[in-house]
Amino acid sequence: MRNRLNMNIAKSVFLIIFTGIIFWGCQQVNKAGNENTADVIIYGGTSAAVTAAVEVVHSGKSVIVVSPDIHLGGLSAGGLGFTDTGNKSTIGGLSREFYHRVWKHYNDSAAWIWEKHSEYGNKGQGTVAMDGENRTMWIFEPHVAEQVFEDFIVENNIPVDRDEWLDRKNGVQVEGGKITAITTLSGKNYQGKIFIDATYEGDLMAAAGISYHVGRESCSVYNEEWNGVQAGVFHHGHHFKSKIDPYVIPGDPSSGLLPKISAEKPGENCTGDDKVQAYCFRLCMSNHADNRVPFPKPDNYDPKDYELLVRVFEAGWNEWFNKFDMIPNRKTDTNNHGPFSSDNIGMNYDYPEASYERRKEIIKEHEDYQKGLLYFVSNDARVPDEVRTAMQNWGLAADEFTDNGNWPHQLYIREARRMIGEYVTSENDVLGKREVPQPIGMGSYTMDSHNIQRYVTEEGFVQNEGDLGIHPHQPYQISYGSIVPQKEECTNLLVPVAVSSSHIAFGSIRMEPVFMILGQSAAVAASIAIDKEKSVQDVQYDELKEKLISKNQKLSVSQL
């Protein structure tokens, strides 16, 4: 009897081992056959993609990050080191953990290579740079941010397939209202239960047939005041304050317009269009003699492209250095400032829907424009002496983006596609004019839109349009419905970056700390949907809320 029992046990053990071997073998075949399976497939390499992936692991699920980018972190690791925080008390969860790790890095004296910590100061955007009380730091170098993201990946054993580009034409398989698999241009196939689109462009969302919008809605669509065309509205200093002639030969329209000025009229105020706010590279520059590279001269450099800037200087404008925001080690996060600056206004309208090849052309055009601008201001005799001389003390930071000629890997895609989901966040939510259902995170930054058009006024002068900044009265909530598609379109996709919002509301949501918050919240929702075998739209909010709070996500003013 005992021998028979032992034989049965031996058979059972053998079957378990044999089954395990077969399963392991199948997994290897799947990998060899370019097929990959996980509970959650995340498409994108942004900061939101990383926090979402970390949270999937923390929630006990498997994940694969399919990243078109080689370098992770998007803008957070791509030059935007002078963080747009707004009210930093709204930033919780893994997003705050990111800024805590940055703080830990700069508490080590070894981090201060090109200047002493004591020499840096403590200035941030609306907050201190280094917050000792809350153990967070909001200002940082690009390579430091990228290392934090890479540490997240390594510590959580997250598989990341880099330089993998979604086949946007034929690479999204949808069956019964669910995405079952995606395929990249290299032929790799990824199967999952839940998919997360964490790209700035919303490429997976669009390829899956989800409704979305590009450009500005008219004010009437969501009963807003600040959407659509806003000609003559100047909330910042990024407009022409003097009467600047737009023509090649001043006063002669027949001579044609100077470069970077559109002949198109801006449209009636509050009307919608298909235009998006300007893009630029957030440059990391250095004024340390041992850590700067001279600004390169593009092969297609033409000083005529910057004639408009000469006229701005001649009119007495003297704000060229106003957005050379200092980050540690005598470097900058250099942003657009003024009427003619690093924002390449009007040169990106087709980017959101463009092919990969066309996007590369747009990115290259932006790079050439911005490199040419820096070279021009550093070398052209028509630039005021004090500006040109000072610029010669600056260059690209030699120890940043070392595999890309010290140039950022990521263009600042301030806005592209925006999903039209279960709930559309509008300025009415941001300004506290209505109650937000099912909040999964908070925002607080100004509804900030960069310029969208540069045109000729009725009086015959050049002017910019679209630059807005409307401050929320207090931090506001972001609805779960803004990261999920309409149920009839797809039931297993979450979109934490190209979120469902109006143009002007997205101007506040589009901050990197918020993207990280929404990435984590999307992952928590994905885990619940998998456990309960429900669509993402049918996740019970009470359960989601409880889990988010347990992970230190901030969902209401009462938590701050």
Side-chain angles (χ1 to χ4, degrees), residues 475-490:
Y476 63 92
Q477 299 167 310
I478 302 169
S479 174
Y480 178 56
S482 280
I483 69 167
V484 298
Q486 298 171 50
K487 191 173 183 180
E488 60 269 23
E489 293 185 341
C490 186

Side-chain angles (χ1 to χ4, degrees), residues 65 67-72 146 150 153 160-164:
V65 176
S67 174
D69 309 306
I70 295 172
H71 296 270
L72 299 181
E146 184 173 359
E150 292 292 350
I153 295 297
V160 181
D161 285 0
R162 303 171 197 246
D163 199 22
E164 289 292 340

Side-chain angles (χ1 to χ4, degrees), residues 3-53:
N3 288 338
R4 186 178 298 171
L5 180 60
N6 288 339
M7 287 180 64
N8 288 337
I9 293 173
K11 287 180 181 179
S12 298
V13 171
F14 173 79
L15 286 173
I16 291 171
I17 294 173
F18 179 78
T19 302
I21 291 172
I22 293 297
F23 176 77
W24 178 85
C26 289
Q27 291 295 95
Q28 300 310 304
V29 169
N30 284 342
K31 286 181 179 291
N34 282 333
E35 293 184 4
N36 304 273
T37 303
D39 292 324
V40 180
I41 305 296
I42 298 172
Y43 183 61
T46 61
S47 59
V50 177
T51 56

